[in-house]
Structures are given as C-alpha cells and as structure tokens.
Amino acid sequence: MAFHGQGRKANAALRLSGFLLGLLLAAFEGLALVQARAAPVAATANVSAVILAPDPVVSVVDTLPAGVNASTGTVVVHVATTSAQASKGPDPVNASEPAAVAAVMLSTKAGDGTLRDGGLTVAVTAAPRRTASHASGSPDTVNVLVEFN
Amino acid sequence: MNLSLHLACRGWACLCLRILCGLAAASCCAHAAAQNVSNTGNLSFGTFVATSAGTVAVRADGSRGQSGGAFVLNQGSNTAAPAQFAVHGKANTVYAVTLPADNTVLMSDGAGHSMAVKSFTSNLSGTSILSKNGNGQFSVGATLVVGASQARGSYTGTFSVIVNYQ
C-alpha cells in the first residue's frame, strides 16, 4: 500500500515537472519568435568629401542682358587664355593652344533662374593652370567670357 | 502502478521529443528569418571648392546640389554617390529605416577641422517590404555643411542606419 502511494507521488511529481518544463519551452519559443520579429539591426557606412584649394580662383559675376529670357535662354561660359580671348566654343581651353596660361573651368553656377533687376546672376569659378611654356614666376591671368544666348 | 509509471515515462519521452523538435524548429526558423542590413556603398560628397560658407548635397537618387560658396566639381577620384544598403530577412517583411539626426555626424580631416552632415534622406518613403526572396535595398543621401573658412583636404566620417522590422 505504501509502495503504491509512493508511486503515485512519483507519478504526480513527474507530471508536474513535465508541465513546468512545457511552460518553459513555450515561453522560450515565444521569446525566440518575438526576438526574430522585432530586433532592429544596424549597419555603418563611411562618408567622405574632398575640398580642393579655392586659390587661385577667379570669380566673375555678370548679369543677363535685357531682352534675354532667363527661363529659356542658356548661358555658355568660356574660359579663355590671355592670348586666345576671341576663341569661341564650348571648351576653348586646352594646353595645346599657343597660350601662355591655360585654365580649367571648375564650375559654373547660375542663380535660381529668375531675373533679378533685369538680369540673371551667374558666377563662374576657374583656376589657372600653368603650362610648360609659361615662365615660372609670371602672373597667371585667366579671362572668363560669359556668353548669353 | 507499473502502468502509471509507464504512462509517465511516455509523457516524458513526448516532452523530450517536443523540446528537441522545438529547438530544431527555432533554429531552423531563426536561420530562415535571419535579419540583417549591410552597407554595400559609401556616401561620398565628391570633390568641390569652398570659397565661402555653403552646402553640398548628395541626394538618395545620386544627384548633387550646391549652395552658397560651395562649387561642386566633376573631377577627381572621389566621385559623389549616395550610400547603399542591402536588407535581408523573412520574405514580405515590412521594415522602416531610421537615419541619423541632424548634426550628429561629423566629418574630420584628421587635423582638427570638421564638417557636420545633416538632412539625411533615403529613397524609401515611410516603410518598405522585403521581396519574396527576403531581400531589399535602399540608398541614403545627406547634406554637408561647409564652413566659411573650411580648410581644404580630405574629410572622412561614418554614420549608421537602423532597420526596424515590423
């Protein structure tokens, strides 16, 4: 009889511990599911920039002539050398020209496209580039021609 | 009694089996739904000249803008580009991207000069959904604040994005 009672107790203990383990397992499964769904993840990227020397830089500001439509007109900027001021074209400057100083146009920057006081402000930035034929120590001069169409 | 113990042992065997199956399933599901985001391209503002204070912006679509005394240049090896990220996870999962707040990201030239980065934007509007294969991608642009007497040189920094799965 006593042996029978001990068996029952053992059986009940087994069932209780099984129940508790089942609860633990369910909690574990639920936690894993929640983690798999909600965990935010992150990544890191590099960011870079290069600032070139602003000198020597020539800045020219001109205004749009009256009668030119600022919204449809175009602005063509030529960077010319001292001896090739009259040359025309989208890129009249190159080192092979018989110029003492060539120049590379860095950027053109128009305004916001609206007329201001009858004109459109255009800023041009260019940097002189010394050629081999140009004597070192001489002043570098860049003529910037702004053509309005 | 023998029958009771036998049933109890069977119960334990079932429980053990369930635990094993649960662990296997959890491992399997965790692998299938492994969620991560990786950087596949860095953000570059490119090369520019700074004659006075201004900004240089690289948009998420890759276009570039300038304001003030900053003149962007299309030269040099440091080509302007937005950052690119690849997202992986469970198929059709909805996710959102958290970008850095304004002026929390600084770029430095290593010589005591710095520039702040602000206005981070991505090409995602609100949330996005991973594909059937569990893949997604997005790009990130930002605006660089250039000081009035910003020292020339190469500036670098890092920033992080967070992907929140929903």
Short mmCIF file of all heavy atoms in Angstrom, two decimals, chain A residues 3-4 7 11 14 17-18 21-22 25 28-29 36-54 106-109 123 125, chain B residues 1 4 8 12 35 37 39 42-48 50 66-68 71 73 75 78 107 150 152-165:
data_model
loop_
_atom_site.label_atom_id
_atom_site.label_comp_id
_atom_site.label_asym_id
_atom_site.label_seq_id
_atom_site.Cartn_x
_atom_site.Cartn_y
_atom_site.Cartn_z
N PHE A 3 3.95 1.39 -0.83
CA PHE A 3 4.68 1.40 -2.09
C PHE A 3 3.82 1.99 -3.21
O PHE A 3 4.29 2.75 -4.04
CB PHE A 3 5.08 -0.04 -2.42
CG PHE A 3 5.88 -0.14 -3.67
CD1 PHE A 3 7.20 0.35 -3.70
CD2 PHE A 3 5.36 -0.70 -4.83
CE1 PHE A 3 7.94 0.25 -4.85
CE2 PHE A 3 6.11 -0.79 -5.98
CZ PHE A 3 7.41 -0.32 -5.98
N HIS A 4 2.53 1.66 -3.17
CA HIS A 4 1.58 2.19 -4.14
C HIS A 4 1.48 3.71 -4.03
O HIS A 4 1.45 4.44 -5.03
CB HIS A 4 0.22 1.53 -3.89
CG HIS A 4 -0.73 1.75 -5.02
ND1 HIS A 4 -0.54 1.18 -6.27
CD2 HIS A 4 -1.86 2.47 -5.10
CE1 HIS A 4 -1.53 1.56 -7.06
NE2 HIS A 4 -2.35 2.35 -6.35
N GLY A 7 4.46 5.50 -5.45
CA GLY A 7 4.37 5.50 -6.92
C GLY A 7 3.49 6.62 -7.41
O GLY A 7 3.82 7.31 -8.39
N ASN A 11 4.65 9.71 -9.68
CA ASN A 11 3.94 9.97 -10.94
C ASN A 11 3.48 11.44 -11.00
O ASN A 11 3.64 12.13 -12.01
CB ASN A 11 2.75 9.03 -11.03
CG ASN A 11 2.16 9.03 -12.42
OD1 ASN A 11 2.74 9.60 -13.34
ND2 ASN A 11 1.03 8.38 -12.59
N LEU A 14 6.40 13.71 -11.53
CA LEU A 14 6.82 13.65 -12.94
C LEU A 14 5.93 14.52 -13.81
O LEU A 14 6.39 15.29 -14.66
CB LEU A 14 6.79 12.21 -13.44
CG LEU A 14 8.05 11.38 -13.20
CD1 LEU A 14 7.79 9.93 -13.58
CD2 LEU A 14 9.20 11.94 -14.01
N SER A 17 6.55 18.31 -13.05
CA SER A 17 7.79 18.82 -13.64
C SER A 17 7.67 18.87 -15.16
O SER A 17 8.19 19.79 -15.81
CB SER A 17 8.98 17.96 -13.23
OG SER A 17 8.73 16.61 -13.56
N GLY A 18 6.96 17.92 -15.73
CA GLY A 18 6.73 17.95 -17.18
C GLY A 18 5.92 19.17 -17.59
O GLY A 18 6.21 19.83 -18.58
N LEU A 21 8.17 22.24 -17.33
CA LEU A 21 9.11 22.29 -18.46
C LEU A 21 8.40 22.69 -19.73
O LEU A 21 8.94 23.41 -20.57
CB LEU A 21 9.78 20.92 -18.63
CG LEU A 21 11.03 20.71 -17.79
CD1 LEU A 21 11.51 19.28 -17.90
CD2 LEU A 21 12.13 21.67 -18.19
N GLY A 22 7.17 22.21 -19.88
CA GLY A 22 6.37 22.60 -21.05
C GLY A 22 6.14 24.10 -21.09
O GLY A 22 6.23 24.75 -22.12
N LEU A 25 9.30 25.78 -22.07
CA LEU A 25 9.55 25.62 -23.51
C LEU A 25 8.67 26.57 -24.31
O LEU A 25 9.15 27.23 -25.26
CB LEU A 25 9.25 24.17 -23.93
CG LEU A 25 9.46 23.88 -25.40
CD1 LEU A 25 10.90 24.09 -25.80
CD2 LEU A 25 9.03 22.45 -25.71
N PHE A 28 10.07 29.99 -24.05
CA PHE A 28 11.28 30.10 -24.86
C PHE A 28 10.92 30.27 -26.33
O PHE A 28 11.49 31.12 -27.03
CB PHE A 28 12.14 28.84 -24.66
CG PHE A 28 13.25 28.71 -25.66
CD1 PHE A 28 14.39 29.50 -25.57
CD2 PHE A 28 13.16 27.82 -26.72
CE1 PHE A 28 15.40 29.38 -26.48
CE2 PHE A 28 14.17 27.69 -27.64
CZ PHE A 28 15.30 28.48 -27.52
N GLU A 29 9.97 29.47 -26.79
CA GLU A 29 9.57 29.55 -28.20
C GLU A 29 8.97 30.92 -28.51
O GLU A 29 9.24 31.53 -29.53
CB GLU A 29 8.55 28.46 -28.52
CG GLU A 29 9.18 27.08 -28.61
CD GLU A 29 8.14 25.99 -28.77
OE1 GLU A 29 6.95 26.27 -28.59
OE2 GLU A 29 8.56 24.86 -29.07
N ALA A 36 12.98 37.26 -33.13
CA ALA A 36 13.21 37.13 -34.56
C ALA A 36 12.42 38.17 -35.32
O ALA A 36 12.82 38.61 -36.38
CB ALA A 36 12.81 35.73 -35.02
N ARG A 37 11.32 38.63 -34.79
CA ARG A 37 10.48 39.57 -35.50
C ARG A 37 10.86 41.01 -35.25
O ARG A 37 10.81 41.83 -36.15
CB ARG A 37 9.04 39.35 -35.02
CG ARG A 37 8.06 39.40 -36.13
CD ARG A 37 6.75 38.86 -35.64
NE ARG A 37 6.29 37.79 -36.47
CZ ARG A 37 5.07 37.74 -36.96
NH1 ARG A 37 4.25 38.70 -36.69
NH2 ARG A 37 4.70 36.75 -37.70
N ALA A 38 11.20 41.36 -34.01
CA ALA A 38 11.26 42.77 -33.67
C ALA A 38 12.66 43.34 -33.53
O ALA A 38 12.80 44.54 -33.46
CB ALA A 38 10.50 42.98 -32.37
N ALA A 39 13.68 42.52 -33.50
CA ALA A 39 15.02 43.04 -33.21
C ALA A 39 15.49 43.96 -34.33
O ALA A 39 15.57 43.54 -35.47
CB ALA A 39 15.99 41.89 -33.04
N PRO A 40 15.75 45.23 -34.02
CA PRO A 40 16.30 46.12 -35.06
C PRO A 40 17.76 45.78 -35.33
O PRO A 40 18.46 45.30 -34.45
CB PRO A 40 16.15 47.51 -34.43
CG PRO A 40 16.16 47.28 -32.97
CD PRO A 40 15.57 45.91 -32.74
N VAL A 41 18.18 46.04 -36.54
CA VAL A 41 19.57 45.78 -36.92
C VAL A 41 20.16 47.06 -37.49
O VAL A 41 19.44 47.92 -37.99
CB VAL A 41 19.68 44.64 -37.95
CG1 VAL A 41 19.32 43.31 -37.32
CG2 VAL A 41 18.80 44.92 -39.14
N ALA A 42 21.47 47.18 -37.42
CA ALA A 42 22.12 48.42 -37.84
C ALA A 42 23.30 48.12 -38.76
O ALA A 42 23.85 47.02 -38.75
CB ALA A 42 22.60 49.20 -36.62
N ALA A 43 23.65 49.09 -39.56
CA ALA A 43 24.82 48.99 -40.42
C ALA A 43 25.49 50.36 -40.47
O ALA A 43 24.84 51.40 -40.33
CB ALA A 43 24.43 48.54 -41.83
N THR A 44 26.79 50.35 -40.66
CA THR A 44 27.57 51.59 -40.68
C THR A 44 28.20 51.80 -42.05
O THR A 44 28.70 50.86 -42.65
CB THR A 44 28.66 51.56 -39.60
OG1 THR A 44 28.04 51.41 -38.33
CG2 THR A 44 29.49 52.83 -39.60
N ALA A 45 28.16 53.04 -42.53
CA ALA A 45 28.76 53.39 -43.82
C ALA A 45 29.80 54.48 -43.61
O ALA A 45 29.72 55.25 -42.65
CB ALA A 45 27.70 53.87 -44.80
N ASN A 46 30.76 54.53 -44.49
CA ASN A 46 31.74 55.63 -44.48
C ASN A 46 31.19 56.80 -45.27
O ASN A 46 30.41 56.62 -46.22
CB ASN A 46 33.07 55.16 -45.08
CG ASN A 46 33.73 54.10 -44.23
OD1 ASN A 46 33.69 54.16 -43.01
ND2 ASN A 46 34.31 53.11 -44.87
N VAL A 47 31.61 57.98 -44.92
CA VAL A 47 31.23 59.17 -45.66
C VAL A 47 32.49 59.99 -45.90
O VAL A 47 33.35 60.09 -45.03
CB VAL A 47 30.15 59.99 -44.90
CG1 VAL A 47 30.59 60.33 -43.50
CG2 VAL A 47 29.78 61.24 -45.66
N SER A 48 32.62 60.55 -47.11
CA SER A 48 33.86 61.25 -47.45
C SER A 48 33.58 62.46 -48.32
O SER A 48 32.53 62.58 -48.95
CB SER A 48 34.81 60.30 -48.19
OG SER A 48 34.23 59.91 -49.41
N ALA A 49 34.52 63.37 -48.33
CA ALA A 49 34.46 64.56 -49.18
C ALA A 49 35.88 65.10 -49.36
O ALA A 49 36.73 64.91 -48.48
CB ALA A 49 33.57 65.63 -48.57
N VAL A 50 36.12 65.74 -50.48
CA VAL A 50 37.43 66.34 -50.74
C VAL A 50 37.21 67.81 -51.09
O VAL A 50 36.46 68.13 -52.00
CB VAL A 50 38.15 65.63 -51.89
CG1 VAL A 50 39.45 66.36 -52.23
CG2 VAL A 50 38.46 64.19 -51.50
N ILE A 51 37.87 68.67 -50.35
CA ILE A 51 37.80 70.10 -50.65
C ILE A 51 39.12 70.50 -51.30
O ILE A 51 40.19 70.31 -50.71
CB ILE A 51 37.57 70.93 -49.38
CG1 ILE A 51 36.28 70.50 -48.70
CG2 ILE A 51 37.49 72.42 -49.74
CD1 ILE A 51 35.99 71.28 -47.44
N LEU A 52 39.02 71.03 -52.50
CA LEU A 52 40.22 71.49 -53.18
C LEU A 52 40.51 72.93 -52.76
O LEU A 52 39.64 73.64 -52.26
CB LEU A 52 40.04 71.42 -54.68
CG LEU A 52 39.92 70.01 -55.28
CD1 LEU A 52 39.85 70.11 -56.79
CD2 LEU A 52 41.09 69.13 -54.86
N ALA A 53 41.73 73.31 -53.00
CA ALA A 53 42.12 74.66 -52.64
C ALA A 53 41.32 75.68 -53.44
O ALA A 53 41.21 75.55 -54.65
CB ALA A 53 43.61 74.83 -52.91
N PRO A 54 40.76 76.68 -52.80
CA PRO A 54 40.00 77.69 -53.54
C PRO A 54 40.89 78.67 -54.29
O PRO A 54 40.40 79.46 -55.08
CB PRO A 54 39.22 78.40 -52.44
CG PRO A 54 40.04 78.22 -51.23
CD PRO A 54 40.73 76.90 -51.36
N LEU A 106 36.30 75.27 -63.40
CA LEU A 106 35.89 74.40 -62.31
C LEU A 106 34.39 74.21 -62.28
O LEU A 106 33.88 73.12 -62.15
CB LEU A 106 36.36 74.99 -60.98
CG LEU A 106 37.87 75.15 -60.82
CD1 LEU A 106 38.18 75.75 -59.47
CD2 LEU A 106 38.56 73.81 -60.97
N SER A 107 33.69 75.30 -62.40
CA SER A 107 32.25 75.18 -62.22
C SER A 107 31.57 76.45 -62.67
O SER A 107 32.15 77.53 -62.63
CB SER A 107 31.92 74.92 -60.75
OG SER A 107 30.53 74.87 -60.56
N THR A 108 30.37 76.29 -63.14
CA THR A 108 29.53 77.46 -63.36
C THR A 108 28.33 77.32 -62.45
O THR A 108 27.90 76.22 -62.13
CB THR A 108 29.04 77.53 -64.81
OG1 THR A 108 28.27 76.38 -65.10
CG2 THR A 108 30.20 77.65 -65.77
N LYS A 109 27.84 78.41 -62.05
CA LYS A 109 26.76 78.36 -61.09
C LYS A 109 25.78 79.47 -61.39
O LYS A 109 26.07 80.64 -61.13
CB LYS A 109 27.32 78.50 -59.68
CG LYS A 109 26.31 78.32 -58.59
CD LYS A 109 27.03 78.41 -57.27
CE LYS A 109 26.07 78.21 -56.12
NZ LYS A 109 26.76 78.36 -54.85
N ALA A 123 27.71 83.10 -61.62
CA ALA A 123 29.05 83.07 -61.03
C ALA A 123 29.89 82.01 -61.72
O ALA A 123 29.41 80.93 -62.02
CB ALA A 123 28.96 82.75 -59.54
N THR A 125 33.64 80.09 -61.68
CA THR A 125 34.87 79.85 -60.93
C THR A 125 35.84 79.11 -61.84
O THR A 125 35.48 78.13 -62.48
CB THR A 125 34.60 79.00 -59.69
OG1 THR A 125 33.66 79.69 -58.88
CG2 THR A 125 35.87 78.77 -58.89
N MET B 1 0.36 0.28 -10.99
CA MET B 1 1.48 1.18 -10.73
C MET B 1 2.45 1.16 -11.90
O MET B 1 2.91 2.20 -12.34
CB MET B 1 2.16 0.74 -9.42
CG MET B 1 3.17 1.70 -8.88
SD MET B 1 4.80 1.53 -9.57
CE MET B 1 5.24 -0.09 -8.98
N SER B 4 1.06 3.18 -14.52
CA SER B 4 1.18 4.62 -14.28
C SER B 4 2.58 5.11 -14.62
O SER B 4 2.78 6.13 -15.28
CB SER B 4 0.88 4.95 -12.82
OG SER B 4 -0.43 4.59 -12.54
N ALA B 8 3.75 7.75 -17.39
CA ALA B 8 4.54 8.93 -17.04
C ALA B 8 5.80 9.00 -17.87
O ALA B 8 6.20 10.05 -18.37
CB ALA B 8 4.89 8.89 -15.55
N TRP B 12 7.15 11.82 -20.49
CA TRP B 12 8.47 12.44 -20.50
C TRP B 12 9.13 12.29 -21.87
O TRP B 12 9.79 13.21 -22.36
CB TRP B 12 9.35 11.81 -19.42
CG TRP B 12 9.30 12.61 -18.17
CD1 TRP B 12 8.50 12.37 -17.09
CD2 TRP B 12 10.03 13.79 -17.88
NE1 TRP B 12 8.69 13.32 -16.13
CE2 TRP B 12 9.64 14.22 -16.60
CE3 TRP B 12 10.96 14.53 -18.57
CZ2 TRP B 12 10.15 15.34 -16.00
CZ3 TRP B 12 11.49 15.66 -17.97
CH2 TRP B 12 11.07 16.06 -16.70
N GLN B 35 17.77 38.28 -39.94
CA GLN B 35 17.55 39.65 -40.42
C GLN B 35 18.82 40.45 -40.24
O GLN B 35 19.39 40.48 -39.16
CB GLN B 35 16.39 40.27 -39.64
CG GLN B 35 15.10 39.55 -39.90
CD GLN B 35 14.04 39.87 -38.88
OE1 GLN B 35 14.34 40.15 -37.74
NE2 GLN B 35 12.81 39.81 -39.30
N VAL B 37 21.19 44.00 -42.05
CA VAL B 37 21.37 45.06 -43.04
C VAL B 37 22.88 45.27 -43.19
O VAL B 37 23.61 45.23 -42.20
CB VAL B 37 20.67 46.37 -42.61
CG1 VAL B 37 21.12 46.83 -41.24
CG2 VAL B 37 20.90 47.46 -43.63
N ASN B 39 26.11 47.42 -45.39
CA ASN B 39 26.48 48.57 -46.21
C ASN B 39 27.15 48.07 -47.49
O ASN B 39 28.12 47.33 -47.45
CB ASN B 39 27.44 49.47 -45.41
CG ASN B 39 28.07 50.54 -46.27
OD1 ASN B 39 29.28 50.68 -46.30
ND2 ASN B 39 27.27 51.28 -47.01
N ASN B 42 29.41 53.42 -49.99
CA ASN B 42 29.60 54.53 -49.05
C ASN B 42 29.09 55.85 -49.61
O ASN B 42 28.99 56.03 -50.83
CB ASN B 42 31.08 54.66 -48.70
CG ASN B 42 31.56 53.49 -47.87
OD1 ASN B 42 30.85 53.04 -46.97
ND2 ASN B 42 32.74 52.98 -48.18
N LEU B 43 28.79 56.75 -48.71
CA LEU B 43 28.31 58.08 -49.10
C LEU B 43 29.52 58.97 -49.40
O LEU B 43 30.44 59.07 -48.58
CB LEU B 43 27.48 58.68 -47.96
CG LEU B 43 27.06 60.15 -48.10
CD1 LEU B 43 26.16 60.33 -49.32
CD2 LEU B 43 26.33 60.61 -46.85
N SER B 44 29.50 59.59 -50.56
CA SER B 44 30.58 60.50 -50.93
C SER B 44 30.00 61.79 -51.46
O SER B 44 29.11 61.78 -52.32
CB SER B 44 31.48 59.86 -51.99
OG SER B 44 32.41 60.82 -52.47
N PHE B 45 30.51 62.90 -50.94
CA PHE B 45 30.08 64.20 -51.44
C PHE B 45 30.94 64.65 -52.61
O PHE B 45 30.72 65.73 -53.14
CB PHE B 45 30.14 65.23 -50.31
CG PHE B 45 29.10 65.02 -49.25
CD1 PHE B 45 29.40 64.34 -48.08
CD2 PHE B 45 27.80 65.46 -49.44
CE1 PHE B 45 28.45 64.12 -47.11
CE2 PHE B 45 26.84 65.25 -48.47
CZ PHE B 45 27.15 64.58 -47.31
N GLY B 46 31.89 63.84 -52.99
CA GLY B 46 32.71 64.16 -54.14
C GLY B 46 33.73 65.24 -53.84
O GLY B 46 34.13 65.46 -52.70
N THR B 47 34.11 65.92 -54.90
CA THR B 47 35.13 66.96 -54.79
C THR B 47 34.49 68.32 -55.06
O THR B 47 33.64 68.44 -55.93
CB THR B 47 36.24 66.70 -55.82
OG1 THR B 47 36.77 65.39 -55.61
CG2 THR B 47 37.36 67.71 -55.69
N PHE B 48 34.90 69.30 -54.30
CA PHE B 48 34.33 70.63 -54.52
C PHE B 48 35.31 71.69 -54.02
O PHE B 48 36.28 71.40 -53.32
CB PHE B 48 32.98 70.78 -53.81
CG PHE B 48 33.01 70.55 -52.34
CD1 PHE B 48 33.21 71.59 -51.45
CD2 PHE B 48 32.83 69.27 -51.83
CE1 PHE B 48 33.23 71.36 -50.09
CE2 PHE B 48 32.86 69.04 -50.46
CZ PHE B 48 33.06 70.09 -49.59
N ALA B 50 35.48 75.31 -51.95
CA ALA B 50 34.71 76.11 -51.00
C ALA B 50 35.31 77.50 -50.93
O ALA B 50 36.40 77.69 -50.39
CB ALA B 50 34.72 75.44 -49.63
N GLN B 66 24.32 72.16 -54.71
CA GLN B 66 25.27 73.03 -54.03
C GLN B 66 24.57 74.32 -53.66
O GLN B 66 23.58 74.70 -54.28
CB GLN B 66 26.45 73.33 -54.95
CG GLN B 66 26.03 74.03 -56.24
CD GLN B 66 27.12 74.13 -57.27
OE1 GLN B 66 28.21 73.61 -57.09
NE2 GLN B 66 26.84 74.82 -58.36
N SER B 67 25.11 74.99 -52.67
CA SER B 67 24.57 76.29 -52.32
C SER B 67 25.68 77.12 -51.70
O SER B 67 26.71 76.58 -51.26
CB SER B 67 23.39 76.16 -51.33
OG SER B 67 23.87 75.80 -50.06
N GLY B 68 25.47 78.42 -51.67
CA GLY B 68 26.46 79.30 -51.08
C GLY B 68 27.77 79.29 -51.84
O GLY B 68 27.80 79.29 -53.07
N PHE B 71 31.29 75.03 -54.66
CA PHE B 71 31.20 74.74 -56.10
C PHE B 71 31.59 73.28 -56.31
O PHE B 71 32.75 72.91 -56.13
CB PHE B 71 32.14 75.64 -56.89
CG PHE B 71 31.75 77.09 -56.90
CD1 PHE B 71 32.08 77.91 -55.83
CD2 PHE B 71 31.05 77.63 -57.96
CE1 PHE B 71 31.72 79.24 -55.83
CE2 PHE B 71 30.68 78.97 -57.97
CZ PHE B 71 31.02 79.78 -56.89
N LEU B 73 32.61 69.91 -58.15
CA LEU B 73 33.45 69.63 -59.30
C LEU B 73 33.24 68.20 -59.77
O LEU B 73 33.05 67.31 -58.96
CB LEU B 73 34.93 69.82 -58.94
CG LEU B 73 35.31 71.14 -58.29
CD1 LEU B 73 36.77 71.11 -57.88
CD2 LEU B 73 35.05 72.29 -59.24
N GLN B 75 35.41 66.17 -61.02
CA GLN B 75 36.78 65.73 -61.26
C GLN B 75 37.30 65.04 -60.01
O GLN B 75 36.71 65.14 -58.94
CB GLN B 75 37.68 66.90 -61.63
CG GLN B 75 37.85 67.92 -60.52
CD GLN B 75 38.69 69.11 -60.97
OE1 GLN B 75 38.41 69.75 -61.97
NE2 GLN B 75 39.73 69.41 -60.22
N ASN B 78 37.31 60.92 -56.17
CA ASN B 78 36.27 60.83 -55.15
C ASN B 78 34.92 61.22 -55.75
O ASN B 78 34.43 62.32 -55.57
CB ASN B 78 36.63 61.72 -53.96
CG ASN B 78 35.72 61.49 -52.78
OD1 ASN B 78 35.26 60.37 -52.58
ND2 ASN B 78 35.44 62.52 -52.03
N MET B 107 32.36 64.97 -40.04
CA MET B 107 33.47 64.50 -40.87
C MET B 107 34.71 65.27 -40.45
O MET B 107 34.65 66.48 -40.20
CB MET B 107 33.17 64.74 -42.35
CG MET B 107 31.96 63.98 -42.84
SD MET B 107 31.56 64.41 -44.54
CE MET B 107 33.00 63.80 -45.38
N GLN B 150 36.43 76.93 -44.42
CA GLN B 150 36.66 75.50 -44.27
C GLN B 150 38.02 75.11 -44.86
O GLN B 150 38.32 75.45 -46.00
CB GLN B 150 35.57 74.71 -45.00
CG GLN B 150 35.53 73.26 -44.62
CD GLN B 150 35.03 73.05 -43.20
OE1 GLN B 150 33.99 73.55 -42.81
NE2 GLN B 150 35.80 72.33 -42.40
N ARG B 152 40.88 73.14 -46.63
CA ARG B 152 40.88 72.18 -47.73
C ARG B 152 41.45 70.85 -47.24
O ARG B 152 42.15 70.79 -46.23
CB ARG B 152 41.69 72.71 -48.90
CG ARG B 152 43.16 72.81 -48.59
CD ARG B 152 43.89 73.54 -49.67
NE ARG B 152 45.31 73.63 -49.36
CZ ARG B 152 46.16 74.37 -50.05
NH1 ARG B 152 45.74 75.07 -51.08
NH2 ARG B 152 47.43 74.40 -49.72
N GLY B 153 41.15 69.80 -47.97
CA GLY B 153 41.67 68.50 -47.60
C GLY B 153 40.62 67.41 -47.76
O GLY B 153 39.52 67.64 -48.27
N SER B 154 40.99 66.23 -47.34
CA SER B 154 40.09 65.07 -47.41
C SER B 154 39.43 64.86 -46.06
O SER B 154 40.11 64.76 -45.04
CB SER B 154 40.88 63.81 -47.80
OG SER B 154 41.39 63.95 -49.10
N TYR B 155 38.14 64.79 -46.07
CA TYR B 155 37.36 64.62 -44.85
C TYR B 155 36.67 63.25 -44.89
O TYR B 155 36.16 62.83 -45.94
CB TYR B 155 36.29 65.70 -44.73
CG TYR B 155 36.85 67.07 -44.40
CD1 TYR B 155 37.50 67.83 -45.37
CD2 TYR B 155 36.71 67.61 -43.13
CE1 TYR B 155 38.02 69.09 -45.07
CE2 TYR B 155 37.21 68.87 -42.83
CZ TYR B 155 37.86 69.61 -43.80
OH TYR B 155 38.36 70.84 -43.51
N THR B 156 36.68 62.59 -43.75
CA THR B 156 36.01 61.29 -43.66
C THR B 156 35.21 61.20 -42.36
O THR B 156 35.46 61.94 -41.42
CB THR B 156 37.02 60.12 -43.70
OG1 THR B 156 37.95 60.30 -42.63
CG2 THR B 156 37.77 60.08 -45.03
N GLY B 157 34.29 60.28 -42.34
CA GLY B 157 33.49 60.03 -41.16
C GLY B 157 32.67 58.77 -41.36
O GLY B 157 32.82 58.08 -42.38
N THR B 158 31.86 58.48 -40.41
CA THR B 158 30.98 57.31 -40.52
C THR B 158 29.59 57.68 -40.00
O THR B 158 29.44 58.63 -39.23
CB THR B 158 31.50 56.11 -39.69
OG1 THR B 158 31.57 56.49 -38.32
CG2 THR B 158 32.86 55.66 -40.16
N PHE B 159 28.62 56.94 -40.46
CA PHE B 159 27.28 57.08 -39.90
C PHE B 159 26.59 55.73 -39.94
O PHE B 159 26.96 54.86 -40.73
CB PHE B 159 26.46 58.14 -40.66
CG PHE B 159 26.05 57.71 -42.04
CD1 PHE B 159 24.81 57.14 -42.26
CD2 PHE B 159 26.90 57.86 -43.12
CE1 PHE B 159 24.41 56.75 -43.52
CE2 PHE B 159 26.53 57.46 -44.39
CZ PHE B 159 25.28 56.91 -44.60
N SER B 160 25.61 55.58 -39.10
CA SER B 160 24.89 54.31 -39.01
C SER B 160 23.41 54.49 -39.30
O SER B 160 22.84 55.54 -39.01
CB SER B 160 25.06 53.69 -37.62
OG SER B 160 26.42 53.37 -37.40
N VAL B 161 22.83 53.49 -39.88
CA VAL B 161 21.39 53.46 -40.09
C VAL B 161 20.83 52.24 -39.35
O VAL B 161 21.55 51.26 -39.13
CB VAL B 161 21.02 53.38 -41.58
CG1 VAL B 161 21.51 54.59 -42.33
CG2 VAL B 161 21.57 52.11 -42.20
N ILE B 162 19.60 52.33 -38.94
CA ILE B 162 18.96 51.23 -38.22
C ILE B 162 17.73 50.78 -39.01
O ILE B 162 16.94 51.62 -39.46
CB ILE B 162 18.53 51.66 -36.80
CG1 ILE B 162 19.77 52.05 -35.99
CG2 ILE B 162 17.78 50.54 -36.09
CD1 ILE B 162 19.45 52.67 -34.65
N VAL B 163 17.62 49.49 -39.20
CA VAL B 163 16.44 48.93 -39.87
C VAL B 163 15.55 48.29 -38.82
O VAL B 163 16.01 47.43 -38.05
CB VAL B 163 16.86 47.90 -40.93
CG1 VAL B 163 15.63 47.16 -41.46
CG2 VAL B 163 17.58 48.59 -42.07
N ASN B 164 14.34 48.73 -38.75
CA ASN B 164 13.36 48.19 -37.80
C ASN B 164 12.37 47.32 -38.56
O ASN B 164 11.64 47.83 -39.42
CB ASN B 164 12.63 49.32 -37.10
CG ASN B 164 13.58 50.26 -36.37
OD1 ASN B 164 14.11 49.91 -35.33
ND2 ASN B 164 13.82 51.43 -36.95
N TYR B 165 12.35 46.07 -38.23
CA TYR B 165 11.39 45.14 -38.85
C TYR B 165 10.06 45.23 -38.11
O TYR B 165 10.03 45.34 -36.90
CB TYR B 165 11.93 43.71 -38.81
CG TYR B 165 13.19 43.53 -39.62
CD1 TYR B 165 14.43 43.68 -39.03
CD2 TYR B 165 13.12 43.23 -40.97
CE1 TYR B 165 15.59 43.53 -39.77
CE2 TYR B 165 14.27 43.08 -41.71
CZ TYR B 165 15.50 43.23 -41.11
OH TYR B 165 16.63 43.09 -41.84
#
